[in-house]
Amino acid sequence: MSEDRVSLIGFQQETVEGLINTIKRVGWYHQNEPQNRKQIGLKAGVSLLQSPTGSGKTLVLGRVLEGLRGDIPGKVIWFWFAPYSGLVVQTRDALATQCGSLRLRDVYTDRQAVNTRDGDVFVQTWDSMRANNAQNRKVRRRTESSGSLDDMLAELRDKGFHIGVVIDEAHLNFGANATASAKLYLDVLQADYTILATATPNDAKLEEFEREAGIEVASRIVIERGQAVDAGLNKVGLKLGYLRFKQEDQKLIDLEQATLMAAWNQHKLVGQELENNDIGITPLMLVQVEDQQKGGEDPVKRVRQKLEQFGVPSTAIKSHTSKEPDSEFHTLAYDPDVEVLIFKVSVATGFDAPRAWTLVSVRPNRGREFGLQIVGRIMRVHPLVRPGHKTNEVLDNGYVFLGDPNIQAGLDAAVEELKAVRQGIELLTDRLDIAEFGNADQATPDVWQGSLPRPVAPTSSDDRQQRLGDLIQIGLLDGSAEHLPEKEQDEAIVKAESVRDLSSTGLFGSLPEQPAPSKGSGEAQGPGLKRYRLRREELGIPEALVREELPPIHEVHGDLLPLIAARFCDDTMLKLLHVTKRKADLSLRELFNGESEERQIDVRLSNARVAEQAQKELEFNDSIDVRKLRLALVGQLETLADKEGIEAERADFRRAIDLMVMQEPDRIHEAIRHALTHHMRSNVDLPIPEETDDWPDNLEAAEKGAYGVFPHNMNKEERAFAKLLDQDTSGTVKWWLRNPESVKWATRIILPTGRRFFPDFAVGIAGRKSTDEVALVEIKDDGETGRLHSDINLLKVRVRHKEYGHVTWTYRQSEKRWVEGEFNSLENRIVAAREFGINALVLDE
């Protein structure tokens, strides 16, 4: 810090002269009307200096006190109040350097009236003079060696001294203690002269103090921000930086770290600009963090680690919080070896940081106060930059980067207040409708007792509607569930999915399937009921449908993981080993004039975020140990890299695997499905039943129906499609069979998740090149709702039956127009590919 006494700039000199003349006038009142001393002090003796942060309030006030010594009727002793203890030291230093004729005293150690001289200044916090702790009570208590503050004040008044009070950062000095402060001000200090200094107009805390103390601001001097800018004390502009990422990158990036990187990038640009202009300053980047929560992580440690991860030297980072204070805090801002200062707001307000251009806030916003005080730290202009002030775009602006875009509101509010003041200051989820399933007399258990994880309630409206639609589609929930309140819908979804999961085992599970209906003689088992015979020989229906099945887990798990890894990993993944960054768009918006600029920067991928998102993709099969799968994948990729002579760290291999899983989730699904086919069994040991169970005896006849009728338990769309098949006159459709969900003999496909997919129809198609000329068809709704595009359907639509091949997906777009649905990888949804025709079932495509 420079020790030279600085000269006042024009508006500062005018302010000093204006305050001196005002206070001298009040002094004249005191001299001529001593009987009205109290009223003069309250009604005429209060002046307000409203001046922008960085415009030299401390200097101006100090020079005012200097100018009043010996030039005002009577003698005056001054009590200067700073809002925080750290600012007491800063204020003492500044006054000692720039106002050398003022004698600075300590209220804790020096309370002797006898040695008092005109113009003496006591600098302390407001709290230090309230008797609210042991140390402060000493100030207000008489001892053998020293009188109390109250005694000293009384004695000085008897000797003709007047009492002056300077309340610096007056908008911060009172807070919740306005009443106590007013009492001390009125009853103890009984100030004859009061100077309030603030950087915030229309401040509620200051106004509350004025009301409590009964004072009136008789004189007001307002310094507008433009004056401080023109004088080279404030930077010209303030730019807000925020990041935008590609949608696919958002979950892979730690926003906080990316924001820190963007700020560091700007910090280095400022440093380069200073170097280019031969200005010997090392710029400072400020990082404001939130308060540490009880039992929570240390925000300072978190931010420090993130800074060091992308290359900020540990020796260049310092921190200061009330929990872990740095004894040299107020010199850190001047130490060129310190490039990053991490702090909390409670120790930030008011400290000088003239070499700071960039500030990052990862702390939740507290509104306008943030905009006014914290940002004020970066608006000061360093003396060495003033000669080129208003000539360099980079150096003429301060830069703020926010970890939470919502914090922007506080800044905007502060700027709007700034622009509005023409002669002013810088402001700156128990009902359940569930379809009959299995034994209708057996109640659905309320407590999950299976080995599978209990389903969780929906987490969003889209999730709720998607899952509800799927359950209604497969008949586990009645359609009326769509009209239940959301809480009851969530309960219905959890219970229905529990039933579904109990009846649909995991990859190698052994939970019992729903037993096939008992067979009788073909006679009706009740009034109006009938059993229908299978028309096997008449229509050429095969003895059994081919079922995909897998052996128990312990038989194949050891072989499965290497097969998955070998299928998933290939040489194209090696290029991901050293992918550590993504491009982001950085927008810098100038808050005062609204102008903006855009540029691209590199931001670091978060290995933790990448792993977290990949984990979600890998956890879709409960029977596969994700930890062991990861090890197998990494081992395979390491083998491929070794063959190519590529060296990388284990973390690089893990990140490359995770990135590929995120970029191409179908790749891991396909690899698992491919590995499963090596162990999959095609079973035909359970014949199609020779007759149905009890069905209504008045069902509509179906010419090509396997049982000669249209089953009563089909939904509207399934029935419409069955009629379409039955009306075929080309000879292509030989027979059709409704393939029931979760029945032992029904054909099914094993999904990569380990669950089973039961297509709605098995159809005999003349000329189809598949086992027994069977084609499988899945029927969906109109293709407009979320049900069609649910995650499970997006998985089902991409699998093939080992013997029957491709499953045809179809739905109606109008009463008579059926279309084929196909998966579109670019849109990640099922789309209408073409109009459906019976001939489409001939080809396995």
Side-chain angles (χ1 to χ4, degrees), residues 656-708:
I657 295 292
D658 291 337
L659 284 172
M660 183 55 75
V661 169
M662 287 295 300
Q663 291 174 7
E664 300 181 28
D666 293 343
R667 189 185 183 107
I668 192 66
H669 298 165
E670 190 279 332
I672 292 176
R673 171 71 184 175
H674 176 80
L676 294 177
T677 59
H678 287 265
H679 301 284
M680 199 176 294
R681 302 166 180 169
S682 296
N683 286 344
V684 291
D685 57 340
L686 296 176
I688 302 171
E690 291 296 327
E691 61 181 21
T692 67
D693 58 354
D694 296 337
W695 286 4
D697 61 3
N698 59 348
L699 294 177
E700 182 181 355
E703 181 180 348
K704 295 179 174 62
Y707 291 99

Side-chain angles (χ1 to χ4, degrees), residues 86-141:
L87 294 186
V88 170
V89 176
Q90 180 175 297
T91 300
R92 285 176 177 275
D93 290 344
L95 293 176
T97 301
Q98 297 300 329
C99 307
S101 66
L102 296 178
R103 189 169 70 149
L104 305 179
R105 299 176 62 180
D106 189 341
V107 73
Y108 284 115
T109 62
D110 181 9
R111 297 189 298 276
Q112 297 292 338
V114 67
N115 296 320
T116 301
R117 299 197 304 235
D118 181 29
D120 282 359
V121 182
F122 289 86
V123 184
Q124 61 281 305
T125 63
W126 199 262
D127 282 342
S128 68
M129 292 182 66
R130 299 191 193 104
N132 55 359
N133 60 54
Q135 178 72 359
N136 297 348
R137 284 194 291 272
K138 293 178 182 178
V139 174
R140 305 286 300 280
R141 183 186 301 159

Side-chain angles (χ1 to χ4, degrees), residues 11 48-57 169 171 196-203 220-228 234 368 372-373 413-428 592:
F11 76 87
L48 174 66
L49 171 60
Q50 189 175 305
S51 187
T53 299
S55 61
K57 289 192 300 296
E169 305 286 358
H171 55 292
L196 304 174
T198 180
T200 310
N202 308 319
D203 186 85
R220 183 186 301 264
I221 295 180
V222 177
I223 307 301
E224 63 179 350
R225 180 178 177 275
Q227 292 176 274
N234 262 207
R368 187 182 62 131
L372 297 170
Q373 291 302 316
V415 168
E416 287 306 312
E417 194 154 354
L418 250 167
K419 293 191 290 187
V421 178
R422 298 304 177 186
Q423 297 180 349
I425 197 73
E426 172 190 356
L427 290 180
L428 256 145
F592 291 104

Side-chain angles (χ1 to χ4, degrees), residues 186 271 460:
L186 291 171
S460 67

Side-chain angles (χ1 to χ4, degrees), residues 40-326:
I40 293 172
L42 293 175
K43 304 302 181 183
V46 182
S47 299
L48 174 66
L49 171 60
Q50 189 175 305
S51 187
T53 299
S55 61
K57 289 192 300 296
T58 302
L59 174 64
V60 166
L61 294 174
R63 296 289 172 87
V64 168
L65 301 194
E66 271 193 325
L68 289 170
R69 289 178 68 251
D71 198 25
I72 186 173
K75 301 176 182 179
V76 184
I77 181 175
W78 293 92
F79 289 86
W80 187 307
F81 293 95
Y84 305 116
S85 58
L87 294 186
V88 170
V89 176
Q90 180 175 297
T91 300
R92 285 176 177 275
D93 290 344
L95 293 176
T97 301
Q98 297 300 329
C99 307
S101 66
L102 296 178
R103 189 169 70 149
L104 305 179
R105 299 176 62 180
D106 189 341
V107 73
Y108 284 115
T109 62
D110 181 9
R111 297 189 298 276
Q112 297 292 338
V114 67
N115 296 320
T116 301
R117 299 197 304 235
D118 181 29
D120 282 359
V121 182
F122 289 86
V123 184
Q124 61 281 305
T125 63
W126 199 262
D127 282 342
S128 68
M129 292 182 66
R130 299 191 193 104
N132 55 359
N133 60 54
Q135 178 72 359
N136 297 348
R137 284 194 291 272
K138 293 178 182 178
V139 174
R140 305 286 300 280
R141 183 186 301 159
R142 185 181 302 113
T143 66
E144 293 183 2
S145 61
S146 178
S148 68
L149 171 67
D150 305 59
D151 292 338
M152 180 182 74
L153 290 171
E155 186 176 346
L156 287 172
R157 290 191 186 94
D158 289 341
K159 292 184 175 183
F161 276 85
H162 286 84
I163 309 301
V165 173
V166 175
I167 306 177
D168 195 7
E169 305 286 358
H171 55 292
L172 299 170
N173 248 304
F174 309 113
N177 297 307
T179 300
S181 300
K183 182 176 178 62
L184 178 62
Y185 175 85
L186 291 171
D187 299 341
V188 179
L189 292 171
Q190 300 176 31
D192 301 301
Y193 306 99
T194 303
I195 306 175
L196 304 174
T198 180
T200 310
N202 308 319
D203 186 85
K205 296 174 184 177
L206 179 54
E207 292 171 358
E208 182 181 359
F209 174 77
E210 292 174 6
R211 289 192 299 270
E212 293 286 349
I215 64 175
E216 296 177 6
V217 176
S219 303
R220 183 186 301 264
I221 295 180
V222 177
I223 307 301
E224 63 179 350
R225 180 178 177 275
Q227 292 176 274
V229 172
D230 290 341
L233 299 178
N234 262 207
K235 294 183 175 71
V236 175
L238 175 63
K239 293 190 176 184
L240 172 63
Y242 53 94
L243 294 169
R244 297 194 307 273
F245 309 99
K246 293 180 179 178
Q247 186 174 1
E248 61 267 27
D249 291 340
Q250 289 179 357
K251 295 180 180 180
L252 308 181
I253 294 168
D254 182 327
L255 178 58
E256 182 175 272
Q257 186 173 56
T259 303
L260 289 167
M261 287 186 69
W264 180 252
N265 177 278
Q266 185 63 44
H267 167 80
K268 300 306 286 185
L269 287 175
V270 170
Q272 186 61 55
E273 195 67 24
L274 289 167
E275 184 177 336
N276 292 343
N277 287 273
D278 295 324
I279 301 173
I281 303 172
T282 300
L284 179 68
M285 184 172 98
L286 306 176
V287 183
Q288 180 202 22
V289 298
E290 75 278 15
D291 294 331
Q292 183 174 3
Q293 300 299 312
K294 185 177 181 180
E297 66 173 344
D298 180 359
V300 174
K301 181 178 180 181
R302 181 192 73 233
V303 167
R304 176 183 284 275
Q305 288 176 339
K306 291 180 179 182
L307 289 166
E308 292 177 358
Q309 283 172 356
F310 61 78
V312 180
S314 59
T315 55
I317 306 171
K318 295 293 183 180
S319 62
H320 182 75
T321 66
S322 57
K323 182 178 179 181
E324 295 182 2
D326 190 309

